[in-house]
Amino acid sequence: MKKRRLVIRTIILLILGAAVAYTLYANFTKDDIKKVVVGEQAPDFVLVDLNGEEHRLSDYKGQGVFLNFWGTYCKPCEKEMPYMDNQYKQFKDKGVQTLAVNVGESELSVSKFADRHNLTFPIVIDKDGQVQTAYKIGALPATFMIDKDGKVVKYHTGQLTEEMIKELMEQVQP
């Protein structure tokens, strides 16, 4: 009986030790993950919007792109959405497109959110998280400014004011 207890305790200690070692390893190497870098080509993707239309990032070549990652549960995201919509209306005919990537929520909740806020720009849903992973998105909201050549010009994490959105769109306007 004592030997069995000793074996069980040893196994439990080994499992706990492995968990601690893995946690330390993961924390020390998390910064080694390659992030999307300013000046480099933005990873291409294809996602479907709430109207069933496909949006391929590379189709926007020749235009600037305001690429925003967000969630309906994210209060800073919700606050910046009306500003994004106002600036989308100002810049869409000047060569700057807005593309809002929801991070894996249901189409129903995203659609209700868009209707409640009267959003007119394209909203796509990253259902399986592949685009979020490709862009190494952590905290929301996260915004990438992509120039007419498909290169990342700027990356911003956190809530944007309307003035900041306008300045960012002016930076990528062709």
PDB file of all heavy atoms in Angstrom, residues 56-68:
ATOM      1  N   ARG A  56     -10.979  38.854 -50.681  1.00  0.00           N
ATOM      2  CA  ARG A  56      -9.583  38.407 -50.704  1.00  0.00           C
ATOM      3  C   ARG A  56      -8.743  39.670 -50.538  1.00  0.00           C
ATOM      4  O   ARG A  56      -8.907  40.626 -51.304  1.00  0.00           O
ATOM      5  CB  ARG A  56      -9.268  37.721 -52.021  1.00  0.00           C
ATOM      6  CG  ARG A  56      -7.835  37.239 -52.152  1.00  0.00           C
ATOM      7  CD  ARG A  56      -7.581  36.609 -53.513  1.00  0.00           C
ATOM      8  NE  ARG A  56      -8.493  35.516 -53.802  1.00  0.00           N
ATOM      9  CZ  ARG A  56      -8.305  34.253 -53.416  1.00  0.00           C
ATOM     10  NH1 ARG A  56      -7.233  33.933 -52.729  1.00  0.00           N
ATOM     11  NH2 ARG A  56      -9.186  33.320 -53.732  1.00  0.00           N
ATOM     12  N   LEU A  57      -7.861  39.672 -49.556  1.00  0.00           N
ATOM     13  CA  LEU A  57      -7.063  40.870 -49.299  1.00  0.00           C
ATOM     14  C   LEU A  57      -6.304  41.309 -50.554  1.00  0.00           C
ATOM     15  O   LEU A  57      -6.264  42.492 -50.870  1.00  0.00           O
ATOM     16  CB  LEU A  57      -6.093  40.629 -48.144  1.00  0.00           C
ATOM     17  CG  LEU A  57      -5.253  41.845 -47.744  1.00  0.00           C
ATOM     18  CD1 LEU A  57      -6.129  42.977 -47.257  1.00  0.00           C
ATOM     19  CD2 LEU A  57      -4.236  41.466 -46.693  1.00  0.00           C
ATOM     20  N   SER A  58      -5.746  40.364 -51.289  1.00  0.00           N
ATOM     21  CA  SER A  58      -4.952  40.714 -52.478  1.00  0.00           C
ATOM     22  C   SER A  58      -5.801  41.374 -53.570  1.00  0.00           C
ATOM     23  O   SER A  58      -5.258  42.049 -54.446  1.00  0.00           O
ATOM     24  CB  SER A  58      -4.224  39.485 -53.029  1.00  0.00           C
ATOM     25  OG  SER A  58      -5.142  38.462 -53.330  1.00  0.00           O
ATOM     26  N   ASP A  59      -7.123  41.214 -53.521  1.00  0.00           N
ATOM     27  CA  ASP A  59      -7.993  41.885 -54.492  1.00  0.00           C
ATOM     28  C   ASP A  59      -8.016  43.404 -54.286  1.00  0.00           C
ATOM     29  O   ASP A  59      -8.462  44.139 -55.162  1.00  0.00           O
ATOM     30  CB  ASP A  59      -9.431  41.345 -54.419  1.00  0.00           C
ATOM     31  CG  ASP A  59      -9.554  39.945 -54.997  1.00  0.00           C
ATOM     32  OD1 ASP A  59      -8.612  39.487 -55.686  1.00  0.00           O
ATOM     33  OD2 ASP A  59     -10.587  39.295 -54.747  1.00  0.00           O
ATOM     34  N   TYR A  60      -7.562  43.855 -53.132  1.00  0.00           N
ATOM     35  CA  TYR A  60      -7.553  45.283 -52.825  1.00  0.00           C
ATOM     36  C   TYR A  60      -6.240  45.960 -53.234  1.00  0.00           C
ATOM     37  O   TYR A  60      -6.036  47.127 -52.914  1.00  0.00           O
ATOM     38  CB  TYR A  60      -7.815  45.513 -51.336  1.00  0.00           C
ATOM     39  CG  TYR A  60      -9.219  45.153 -50.917  1.00  0.00           C
ATOM     40  CD1 TYR A  60      -9.478  43.965 -50.244  1.00  0.00           C
ATOM     41  CD2 TYR A  60     -10.284  45.996 -51.192  1.00  0.00           C
ATOM     42  CE1 TYR A  60     -10.774  43.628 -49.866  1.00  0.00           C
ATOM     43  CE2 TYR A  60     -11.580  45.673 -50.814  1.00  0.00           C
ATOM     44  CZ  TYR A  60     -11.814  44.481 -50.151  1.00  0.00           C
ATOM     45  OH  TYR A  60     -13.083  44.150 -49.777  1.00  0.00           O
ATOM     46  N   LYS A  61      -5.360  45.211 -53.924  1.00  0.00           N
ATOM     47  CA  LYS A  61      -4.101  45.831 -54.379  1.00  0.00           C
ATOM     48  C   LYS A  61      -4.419  47.059 -55.209  1.00  0.00           C
ATOM     49  O   LYS A  61      -5.355  47.067 -55.984  1.00  0.00           O
ATOM     50  CB  LYS A  61      -3.275  44.828 -55.182  1.00  0.00           C
ATOM     51  CG  LYS A  61      -2.247  44.152 -54.310  1.00  0.00           C
ATOM     52  CD  LYS A  61      -1.022  43.737 -55.084  1.00  0.00           C
ATOM     53  CE  LYS A  61       0.040  43.354 -54.081  1.00  0.00           C
ATOM     54  NZ  LYS A  61       0.584  42.085 -54.229  1.00  0.00           N
ATOM     55  N   GLY A  62      -3.612  48.087 -55.027  1.00  0.00           N
ATOM     56  CA  GLY A  62      -3.865  49.349 -55.714  1.00  0.00           C
ATOM     57  C   GLY A  62      -4.653  50.311 -54.832  1.00  0.00           C
ATOM     58  O   GLY A  62      -4.793  51.485 -55.161  1.00  0.00           O
ATOM     59  N   GLN A  63      -5.180  49.797 -53.705  1.00  0.00           N
ATOM     60  CA  GLN A  63      -5.928  50.611 -52.746  1.00  0.00           C
ATOM     61  C   GLN A  63      -5.296  50.445 -51.371  1.00  0.00           C
ATOM     62  O   GLN A  63      -4.644  49.440 -51.094  1.00  0.00           O
ATOM     63  CB  GLN A  63      -7.380  50.146 -52.665  1.00  0.00           C
ATOM     64  CG  GLN A  63      -8.123  50.174 -53.982  1.00  0.00           C
ATOM     65  CD  GLN A  63      -9.527  49.644 -53.800  1.00  0.00           C
ATOM     66  OE1 GLN A  63     -10.355  50.282 -53.189  1.00  0.00           O
ATOM     67  NE2 GLN A  63      -9.784  48.473 -54.351  1.00  0.00           N
ATOM     68  N   GLY A  64      -5.529  51.407 -50.505  1.00  0.00           N
ATOM     69  CA  GLY A  64      -5.136  51.248 -49.114  1.00  0.00           C
ATOM     70  C   GLY A  64      -6.204  50.435 -48.396  1.00  0.00           C
ATOM     71  O   GLY A  64      -7.365  50.432 -48.804  1.00  0.00           O
ATOM     72  N   VAL A  65      -5.804  49.709 -47.354  1.00  0.00           N
ATOM     73  CA  VAL A  65      -6.765  48.906 -46.590  1.00  0.00           C
ATOM     74  C   VAL A  65      -6.609  49.189 -45.098  1.00  0.00           C
ATOM     75  O   VAL A  65      -5.508  49.137 -44.554  1.00  0.00           O
ATOM     76  CB  VAL A  65      -6.585  47.395 -46.856  1.00  0.00           C
ATOM     77  CG1 VAL A  65      -7.577  46.580 -46.018  1.00  0.00           C
ATOM     78  CG2 VAL A  65      -6.760  47.068 -48.333  1.00  0.00           C
ATOM     79  N   PHE A  66      -7.742  49.486 -44.474  1.00  0.00           N
ATOM     80  CA  PHE A  66      -7.845  49.626 -43.027  1.00  0.00           C
ATOM     81  C   PHE A  66      -8.369  48.274 -42.546  1.00  0.00           C
ATOM     82  O   PHE A  66      -9.548  47.980 -42.704  1.00  0.00           O
ATOM     83  CB  PHE A  66      -8.821  50.760 -42.696  1.00  0.00           C
ATOM     84  CG  PHE A  66      -8.991  51.041 -41.235  1.00  0.00           C
ATOM     85  CD1 PHE A  66      -8.204  51.993 -40.606  1.00  0.00           C
ATOM     86  CD2 PHE A  66      -9.952  50.373 -40.496  1.00  0.00           C
ATOM     87  CE1 PHE A  66      -8.379  52.277 -39.260  1.00  0.00           C
ATOM     88  CE2 PHE A  66     -10.132  50.643 -39.145  1.00  0.00           C
ATOM     89  CZ  PHE A  66      -9.342  51.593 -38.520  1.00  0.00           C
ATOM     90  N   LEU A  67      -7.492  47.425 -42.025  1.00  0.00           N
ATOM     91  CA  LEU A  67      -7.839  46.056 -41.624  1.00  0.00           C
ATOM     92  C   LEU A  67      -7.950  46.001 -40.110  1.00  0.00           C
ATOM     93  O   LEU A  67      -6.960  46.162 -39.397  1.00  0.00           O
ATOM     94  CB  LEU A  67      -6.769  45.082 -42.127  1.00  0.00           C
ATOM     95  CG  LEU A  67      -6.966  43.607 -41.803  1.00  0.00           C
ATOM     96  CD1 LEU A  67      -8.214  43.060 -42.499  1.00  0.00           C
ATOM     97  CD2 LEU A  67      -5.740  42.804 -42.229  1.00  0.00           C
ATOM     98  N   ASN A  68      -9.180  45.786 -39.622  1.00  0.00           N
ATOM     99  CA  ASN A  68      -9.451  45.841 -38.186  1.00  0.00           C
ATOM    100  C   ASN A  68      -9.951  44.494 -37.676  1.00  0.00           C
ATOM    101  O   ASN A  68     -10.880  43.917 -38.239  1.00  0.00           O
ATOM    102  CB  ASN A  68     -10.496  46.938 -37.930  1.00  0.00           C
ATOM    103  CG  ASN A  68     -10.867  47.071 -36.475  1.00  0.00           C
ATOM    104  OD1 ASN A  68     -11.815  46.476 -36.006  1.00  0.00           O
ATOM    105  ND2 ASN A  68     -10.093  47.881 -35.766  1.00  0.00           N
TER     106      ASN A  68
END
